[in-house]
Amino acid sequence: MAYELYYWPTIQGRGEFIRLALEEAGAEYHDVARLPERKGQGVPAMLACLDGDSTPQAAYAPPVLRDGGLLIGQTTNILFYLGRRLGLAPRAESGRLWLNQLQLTMADWLTEVHDTHHPLSVNQYYEEQKQAAMLRGADFRQTRFPKFLDYFTQVLLNSRGQYLVGARLTYGDLSLFQMLAGLHYAFPQAMARLAPAYPALSDLHDTVAARPNIARYLKSKRRIPFNEDGIFRHYPELDG
């Protein structure tokens, strides 16, 4: 049976990390909320996964993955589940736990990216918290951004291969590609300054982008363009 992915239909967001894994593996899946609205499809079907009155073990927020009778929420949790099934995680438990740790670190990083444009409240528009966002964005560019780049560069240097966890590509490499692609979109000036100091990260980004299944996906209509409704948003005043 095909996997069913439930995520917002107009943004990449956190769902994109799962899409990349499914696309790389050539797995059959349905992006349910992007399908026409009828029984079991469209945004109502996604929202049903979050309805605790009708769905046991409902997720707090999308993305959600359905595999047969199993419903799984949280991006990192979903990728941990899919990793071995898609051939995108180590066989050894120690390797899978290390990969999960790296994915959790990227989840923290992603939250910090989001908070550059929404530092006060997710219930306010960006324009209502712009001054605070400029302060948060400056701190992110100057301190937090390089710290994450330093960390993942060291992980690559410590690895026995060209990828985060040894010689084989994992879902962590796909997620790191997405982080770097999103940062190039949201902070092009900052990335132009920083990227030359991190050639290993640039090489990994390019290696992932060139993989046949990923290259086809990136050129397809299934890849939703970055936009100012998603997590990675380009506001020139935050780029500096």
Side-chain angles (χ1 to χ4, degrees):
M1 293 180 62
Y3 294 105
E4 294 180 344
L5 174 64
Y6 299 85
Y7 197 68
W8 302 107
T10 59
I11 60 173
Q12 292 183 19
R14 292 174 175 82
E16 193 67 10
F17 296 90
I18 297 154
R19 292 189 187 108
L20 286 167
L22 294 167
E23 292 283 348
E24 165 62 24
E28 184 181 357
Y29 73 100
H30 301 305
D31 211 332
V32 176
R34 298 180 70 184
L35 298 174
E37 290 192 5
R38 56 176 182 259
K39 185 176 181 180
Q41 293 186 177
V43 172
M46 182 195 72
L47 295 177
C49 297
L50 317 179
D51 183 2
D53 290 334
S54 60
T55 303
Q57 300 181 336
Y60 175 74
V64 179
L65 183 83
R66 183 184 295 279
D67 183 13
L70 194 60
L71 204 61
I72 310 162
Q74 290 286 356
T75 302
T76 303
N77 198 34
I78 294 168
L79 289 171
F80 188 78
Y81 173 79
L82 287 175
R84 290 187 71 186
R85 290 164 175 80
L86 299 182
L88 293 172
R91 292 188 180 92
E93 183 180 42
S94 60
R96 294 196 304 276
L97 288 170
W98 171 232
L99 178 57
N100 188 59
Q101 180 177 322
L102 294 175
Q103 190 68 40
L104 286 165
T105 304
M106 280 185 266
D108 292 341
W109 190 6
L110 189 67
T111 297
E112 293 201 25
V113 172
H114 170 272
D115 289 351
T116 61
H117 53 77
H118 276 73
L120 300 181
S121 172
V122 296
N123 296 314
Q124 294 179 350
Y125 290 108
Y126 165 69
E127 290 75 16
E128 296 178 273
Q129 49 193 312
K130 188 173 179 179
Q131 291 302 313
M134 291 177 69
L135 292 172
R136 186 64 174 265
D139 180 69
F140 177 77
R141 294 192 314 272
Q142 294 163 15
T143 63
R144 304 301 295 165
F145 201 162
K147 188 171 183 177
F148 281 108
L149 296 177
D150 287 341
Y151 175 75
F152 282 101
T153 293
Q154 189 62 54
V155 171
L156 284 170
L157 292 174
N158 291 345
S159 172
R160 292 191 299 271
Q162 68 180 118
Y163 299 112
L164 288 172
V165 184
R168 294 181 57 200
L169 177 130
T170 67
Y171 64 76
D173 302 294
L174 299 168
S175 294
L176 185 52
F177 159 81
Q178 176 65 10
M179 289 298 305
L180 296 169
L183 290 164
H184 273 289
Y185 173 80
F187 300 96
Q189 293 185 57
M191 281 297 281
R193 291 193 302 271
L194 290 167
Y198 300 95
L201 295 180
S202 296
D203 289 347
L204 183 137
H205 171 278
D206 295 346
T207 296
V208 170
R211 291 182 69 86
N213 284 356
I214 296 299
R216 281 192 291 271
Y217 171 62
L218 295 178
K219 294 177 182 177
S220 75
K221 292 183 179 179
R222 297 189 304 281
R223 171 75 165 184
I224 301 167
F226 288 110
N227 60 62
E228 273 55 69
D229 292 322
I231 295 175
F232 295 103
R233 303 185 185 187
H234 177 53
Y235 296 118
E237 61 271 19
L238 301 187
D239 194 8

